[in-house]
Amino acid sequence: MKSDRVLSTAEERRAKVVASAVAAFARGGLHAVTVADVAKHAGISPAYVLKLFTSKTQLFAAALDECYRRIGEAMERGAAQAEEETPEALLHTMGGAYAELIGERDLLMLQVHAQSAMAEPLIADAVRRGAAGITDYVAARSKASGRQVQEFMAFGQLCHLLTTIDAFGIDEPWAKLLTEGFRHSDPIEPPGGAPD
Amino acid sequence: MKSDRVLSTAEERRAKVVASAVAAFARGGLHAVTVADVAKHAGISPAYVLKLFTSKTQLFAAALDECYRRIGEAMERGAAQAEEETPEALLHTMGGAYAELIGERDLLMLQVHAQSAMAEPLIADAVRRGAAGITDYVAARSKASGRQVQEFMAFGQLCHLLTTIDAFGIDEPWAKLLTEGFRHSDPIEPPGGAPD
DNA sequence: CAGAAGAATGAGTGTACAGTCACTCACATG
DNA sequence: CATGTGAGTGACTGTACACTCATTCTTCTG
């Protein structure tokens, strides 16, 4: 099965580099992570990474697209698991699928760092596309009310904050209060869910 | 009234530099904004900025503390405006005060950038202190249920996202849906409010 | 097997920036 | 007015990093 080629095709490399970019940029964001970091993770030279993507910013944007693609997939999987087709049940399983997906923090942190890099038009566009895609899909698939979708997204954002500050590991009243009902290891989440 | 001194006291300078740091770092975050940018905004030399704060990271952390201080003030003002002492009324006016405060986007963007710079322990600590302070204050002052406080914070986070992607200026269904009820110019906000 | 097409790199280039330091100037005090 | 303290800076240093390019190595095709 496995080819004994030494070189990959450019397409294979691109895919591998994008995956590496997701992991690497999740660690520190656009400006704190270097092209060399991504290259190292992918096991190729920085020069070739730049040949594949022309600029660091484009690479980040590609990573972000991949991030939203995976989230979309997770949502579809989640929706498929719902036992009934009510908005509430669909939002619940979708939220659970999202929570599970971002238990591995990379996709979450990448979104956080993306919000901080909105000064780059390429990245701003990717974030907007991502938010639009998730919102549209959730709304269409669940047929929930606008208010419910809003709440779904809002709790997703709260989940991002709580994860970045590691509130789940803080034993103080405020942290307990905010994390109540999330505990994103078990896919139970508050009335609404936990996306974007 | 105004002294004709040429030099300021170090304390005055620190305050001015912190204010400049809030404004400057809001534009691009820890890594995208230079000490020289902050210095220019404050009208002094980069060298002296670093003498006052020893490192760029400490300066950012100081800006963040100032940010949370101003938010705390706004919350108190908001609470004072409530017409009755019910949790709902208090959350509503507090959310309105917060929304009004961050209409000028600096304080909001600074928080977003801070979340992206959590790799720096000094900044991580400041963010946690900020979140703790707001949560504790809101919970204590409003006497709202845990769930209500959670929702208050969640919608605050959603407001951050919507502002960074400029959803309020996008004329598409998903953007309309998510911004419904916010429109942070008029201080009307959805059941809950809009903080952290 | 010649040679074209593409994969991949090493070695550079230029620049931007955090942090340092020796120094100058302003101000208060006796 | 001598002197000490603290405000403020210019010039520098070292480094890190995005991006370029000439070149080498691999694979495919006829």
Side-chain angles (χ1 to χ4, degrees):
Chain A
M1 204 70 215
K2 187 156 181 210
S3 150
D4 50 0
R5 281 176 53 102
V6 169
L7 301 182
S8 308
T9 66
E11 274 318 302
E12 283 167 357
R13 280 297 191 211
R14 282 184 70 93
K16 167 133 205 184
V17 171
V18 166
S20 296
V22 169
F25 281 125
R27 265 58 189 162
L30 177 63
H31 298 289
V33 170
T34 69
V35 173
D37 292 334
V38 177
K40 193 171 196 177
H41 191 285
I44 65 178
S45 71
Y48 194 45
V49 170
L50 258 339
K51 179 157 284 179
L52 253 16
F53 288 90
T54 69
S55 83
K56 190 192 186 183
T57 303
Q58 290 206 2
L59 175 56
F60 189 99
L64 204 49
D65 285 340
E66 166 67 9
C67 167
Y68 288 120
R69 222 210 67 239
R70 286 198 222 162
I71 291 173
E73 267 182 22
M75 294 295 202
E76 288 174 23
R77 271 200 310 280
Q81 283 167 5
E83 294 184 350
E84 33 172 15
E85 285 282 315
T86 62
E88 289 74 17
L90 285 161
L91 289 180
H92 187 271
T93 53
M94 284 165 123
Y98 181 78
E100 197 171 348
L101 180 70
I102 63 174
E104 160 242 358
R105 295 165 39 132
D106 287 0
L107 298 185
L108 185 156
M109 290 309 297
L110 196 64
Q111 290 177 72
V112 169
H113 292 130
Q115 270 193 69
S116 171
M118 296 282 295
E120 297 286 344
L122 247 46
I123 295 177
D125 288 346
V127 173
R128 270 188 278 268
R129 271 199 308 277
I134 295 175
T135 308
D136 283 342
Y137 180 76
V138 169
R141 183 65 235 267
S142 73
K143 297 196 172 61
S145 70
R147 167 71 193 178
Q148 280 175 310
V149 174
Q150 230 183 11
E151 200 170 285
F152 184 78
M153 300 296 282
F155 273 89
Q157 290 302 116
L158 178 59
C159 177
H160 288 191
L161 172 67
L162 296 176
T163 305
T164 57
I165 66 177
D166 195 27
F168 298 98
I170 298 177
D171 190 21
E172 293 174 27
W174 66 271
K176 295 289 182 201
L177 185 157
L178 291 181
T179 56
E180 187 70 32
F182 275 94
R183 314 250 120 241
H184 59 32
S185 36
D186 42 47
I188 287 148
E189 87 301 348
D196 173 5
Chain B
M1 203 69 215
K2 189 157 180 211
S3 149
D4 51 1
R5 281 177 55 101
V6 168
L7 302 181
S8 308
T9 67
E11 275 318 303
E12 283 166 357
R13 280 299 190 209
R14 282 186 69 94
K16 168 133 205 184
V17 171
V18 167
S20 296
V22 170
F25 281 125
R27 263 61 188 160
L30 178 62
H31 298 288
V33 170
T34 69
V35 173
D37 292 334
V38 177
K40 193 171 196 177
H41 191 286
I44 64 178
S45 71
Y48 193 43
V49 170
L50 256 344
K51 179 159 285 180
L52 253 17
F53 289 88
T54 71
S55 83
K56 190 193 186 184
T57 304
Q58 290 206 3
L59 174 57
F60 190 99
L64 205 49
D65 286 340
E66 166 67 8
C67 167
Y68 288 120
R69 223 211 65 240
R70 286 197 223 163
I71 291 172
E73 269 183 19
M75 294 296 202
E76 288 174 23
R77 271 200 310 278
Q81 282 166 4
E83 293 185 349
E84 32 173 17
E85 285 282 315
T86 62
E88 290 74 17
L90 284 161
L91 289 179
H92 186 273
T93 53
M94 283 165 125
Y98 181 77
E100 197 173 347
L101 179 70
I102 63 174
E104 160 242 357
R105 295 164 40 131
D106 286 359
L107 298 185
L108 185 155
M109 290 310 298
L110 195 64
Q111 290 177 73
V112 169
H113 292 130
Q115 270 192 69
S116 173
M118 296 282 295
E120 296 286 345
L122 246 47
I123 295 177
D125 289 346
V127 173
R128 272 189 277 269
R129 272 199 306 278
I134 295 174
T135 308
D136 283 343
Y137 180 76
V138 169
R141 182 65 236 266
S142 74
K143 297 197 171 61
S145 70
R147 167 71 192 177
Q148 280 176 309
V149 174
Q150 231 184 10
E151 200 170 285
F152 185 79
M153 300 296 280
F155 274 89
Q157 290 302 116
L158 178 59
C159 176
H160 289 191
L161 172 66
L162 297 177
T163 305
T164 57
I165 66 178
D166 196 25
F168 298 99
I170 298 177
D171 189 20
E172 293 174 28
W174 65 271
K176 295 290 182 199
L177 185 156
L178 292 180
T179 55
E180 187 68 33
F182 274 93
R183 314 247 123 243
H184 60 33
S185 36
D186 42 45
I188 286 147
E189 88 300 350
D196 175 6

